[in-house]
Amino acid sequence: MGGEGGELTGRLSEPLRRRNIFILTGAGISAESGLGTFRDSKGEGIWARFDPMKLATPEAFARDPEAVLAFYDLRRRNLISASPNAAHFALARLEAGLLARGGRLTLVTQNIDDLHERAGSRRVIHMHGELLKARCDACETVRPQLGDLAVSHACGTCGRTGALRPHVVWFGEMPMRMDEIERALREADLLVAIGTSGAVYPAAGFVAGARARGIRACEINLEAADNADLFDEQRLGAASETVPAWVEEILSE
Ligand code: OAD
């Protein structure tokens, strides 16, 4: 099966093999849009300034919902005044370009911002949820949420107060849409991780899964990720420059 047959197919149809691309983005792609990253080498990331155990767990929400909601209110306000950057726009161009060539892009993001959508990406899988949505813990209804959330707010569907929370994944909770993500990973022929530190699972494990199936993997990042040695190729630099350059290469193949 593999051996010669695999190699021959690989050499003869390298451009074709690149047509089903799986992209994983992290906070680094939105850094130049003014949204902070969680971890950095200078110790200035969000989790160096705020304790995730007090702000991003179901237990924290049960203990001190006002503090948790205020943290996400601040991030929501920052997001609403932010704009997508050249890296987000390049990935939207890549999606359209691949589709036009009969290919496919799966864009999975750990980001809870909507900058990929605002840049024009059509299919975005938010595995850690979406900041501009709220969910009722009582009836599970998910609705758009552009303003601040308060404990006194009632759910528009079931009428309960105190049950509305940001529609995001907290530590100790299951990431969203994992079946869809696993399926897309199995079908991809190239995995590209952009602006993610490789510190949080299960996303950090996608590259090992891809490599185990013989899928090529490329890291595009400002600084090498924790799992950098698992990638075949690495491009270091600011996403607003490295991502458009890489997309142009792929689209001109
Ligand atoms: P991190 O903050 O852990 O990592 C950000 C990555 O982006 C680092 O590898 C930086 O080198 C890189 N970076 C910074 N600026 C960049 C730029 N201009 N261009 C390119 N890369 C840049 O963010 P994530 O890996 O996304 O989860 O974090 C994963 C998860 O941890 C988040 O989704 C969040 C957090 O806890 C939850 O809240 C559940």
Side-chain angles (χ1 to χ4, degrees):
M1 283 291 184
E4 284 181 10
E7 276 175 32
L8 189 65
T9 311
R11 268 194 235 111
L12 285 180
S13 56
E14 187 58 21
L16 276 182
R17 280 168 51 76
R18 291 248 177 118
R19 283 200 177 163
N20 192 341
I21 301 179
F22 181 104
I23 292 187
L24 171 70
T25 63
I29 197 165
S30 298
E32 291 163 85
S33 294
L35 304 180
T37 61
F38 296 94
R39 306 163 187 85
D40 62 30
S41 51
K42 294 187 223 136
E44 292 168 1
I46 294 173
W47 293 152
R49 289 175 289 127
F50 300 95
D51 181 352
M53 293 305 120
K54 292 191 178 143
L55 296 167
T57 67
E59 294 76 18
F61 186 57
R63 211 168 35 234
D64 191 352
E66 283 87 0
V68 172
L69 294 182
F71 173 67
Y72 284 94
D73 285 346
L74 185 66
R75 294 183 60 193
R76 192 182 302 104
R77 286 185 220 151
N78 288 342
L79 169 57
I80 287 169
S81 61
S83 304
N85 65 56
H88 298 104
F89 285 110
L91 294 187
R93 277 201 304 282
L94 180 62
E95 180 183 38
L98 284 177
L99 264 178
R101 290 162 173 75
R104 186 170 160 212
L105 178 77
T106 300
L107 178 53
V108 176
T109 186
Q110 297 165 90
N111 299 343
I112 58 177
D113 66 54
D114 66 340
L115 299 183
H116 284 305
E117 287 90 340
R118 278 199 258 158
S121 285
R122 298 264 185 90
R123 271 186 63 241
V124 185
I125 300 180
H126 284 274
M127 64 180 292
H128 289 167
E130 294 170 81
L131 183 55
L132 300 188
K133 291 182 180 169
R135 183 171 81 239
C136 174
D137 250 348
C139 73
E140 299 284 310
T141 303
V142 177
R143 286 170 183 260
Q145 182 71 37
L146 298 180
D148 289 354
L149 264 175
V151 178
S152 58
H153 288 171
C155 169
T157 305
C158 71
R160 263 272 298 269
T161 49
L164 289 178
R165 58 167 279 182
H167 184 50
V168 301
V169 175
W170 285 327
F171 289 99
E173 295 182 323
M174 281 295 289
M176 299 172 184
R177 302 172 68 178
M178 284 305 293
D179 290 349
E180 217 178 315
I181 293 172
E182 288 295 337
R183 208 166 36 245
L185 253 183
R186 277 198 300 275
E187 290 166 1
D189 25 63
L190 174 67
L191 174 142
V192 183
I194 302 172
T196 175
S197 61
V200 174
Y201 285 81
F206 293 167
V207 60
R211 292 296 304 274
R213 292 187 200 104
I215 300 167
R216 248 184 100 68
C218 170
E219 175 189 15
I220 303 181
N221 217 351
L222 192 60
E223 297 164 337
D226 293 0
N227 55 357
D229 54 332
L230 292 174
F231 291 88
D232 299 287
E233 187 187 341
Q234 199 178 46
R235 299 184 179 204
L236 297 184
S240 65
E241 291 170 13
T242 49
V243 176
W246 171 74
V247 166
E248 291 322 309
E249 273 176 43
I250 293 287
L251 291 180
S252 61
E253 264 176 2

